[in-house]
Amino acid sequence: VLQGLQDSESDEILIVNTRTSKRAVAGELFCAEASRRGLPGIIIDGPMRDTNFLSNYPKVRCFSRSVTPYSGTTSHLGKLQVTVECGGVMVEPNSSIIVADDDGIIVGSLETFEQLEQLAREIQSAEERIRIAIADGKTIHEMTNFEAHVEAIQNGTPS
């Protein structure tokens, strides 16, 4: 992981698969160095530590599968600029687009994101209409297919 950090360039996102390690491969110092190098984010399919510091450190967004207080050790060098499986998704160096926030991480190609853009806008618009209606006193059940959904589940049909 340290080699990946050393070889990283500004505006790259470092993605690490810890291969089931239970020890943190990044924390406060690692992310401070990532910030100094100009990296906007780090994604770890495994644990990280020092999350209190990292949650208040906006220069580098850090995401991990889990948290542990135990610092990691280096037992082998790993590979750089290769396809990495992260959270069950294959991430391609220099071609995958990554969008991440507090709700999760989405990885895809430019073509995938272009295909999903209209659907995402429609969902956002529908949710905004529902939020406004709830603020005006309507129930969420009135504005969704709740009853049809319940009926389908009770009948054993997909909903």
Side-chain angles (χ1 to χ4, degrees):
V1 176
L2 286 172
Q3 185 70 52
L5 182 59
Q6 179 180 335
D7 292 350
S8 65
E9 295 182 16
S10 180
D11 294 327
E12 289 184 328
I13 297 173
L14 186 61
I15 300 175
V16 179
N17 181 332
T18 65
R19 300 181 181 262
T20 70
S21 173
K22 302 289 187 232
R23 294 189 169 262
V25 297
E28 177 180 352
L29 300 178
F30 190 93
C31 293
E33 174 63 13
S35 174
R36 190 192 68 75
R37 298 183 70 80
L39 275 65
I42 299 170
I43 299 172
I44 300 173
D45 192 353
M48 73 175 3
R49 64 187 204 138
D50 303 328
T51 56
N52 186 47
F53 171 83
L54 298 176
S55 65
N56 296 306
Y57 192 69
K59 295 178 181 179
V60 177
R61 293 295 311 264
C62 299
F63 301 90
S64 67
R65 178 177 293 278
S66 60
V67 174
T68 183
Y70 301 110
S71 178
T73 60
T74 302
S75 58
H76 68 282
L77 290 177
K79 299 175 184 173
L80 304 174
Q81 293 298 329
V82 297
T83 301
V84 174
E85 183 176 353
C86 189
V89 175
M90 302 310 286
V91 182
E92 302 288 337
N94 302 316
S95 66
S96 290
I97 295 174
I98 300 166
V99 178
D101 66 14
D102 292 339
D103 292 329
I105 302 166
I106 301 172
V107 176
S109 66
L110 177 61
E111 295 79 25
T112 299
F113 279 95
E114 286 174 340
Q115 292 171 359
L116 295 175
E117 181 181 9
Q118 183 58 38
L119 176 59
R121 289 184 190 284
E122 290 170 8
I123 291 170
Q124 187 176 26
S125 177
E127 289 180 351
E128 181 61 20
R129 285 192 306 274
I130 292 171
R131 272 192 296 278
I132 290 169
I134 289 172
D136 288 340
K138 290 189 177 182
T139 71
I140 194 168
H141 300 91
E142 293 176 81
M143 297 173 289
T144 62
N145 66 339
F146 173 73
E147 290 181 16
H149 179 67
V150 168
E151 185 178 334
I153 291 172
Q154 290 172 337
N155 293 330
T157 57
S159 171

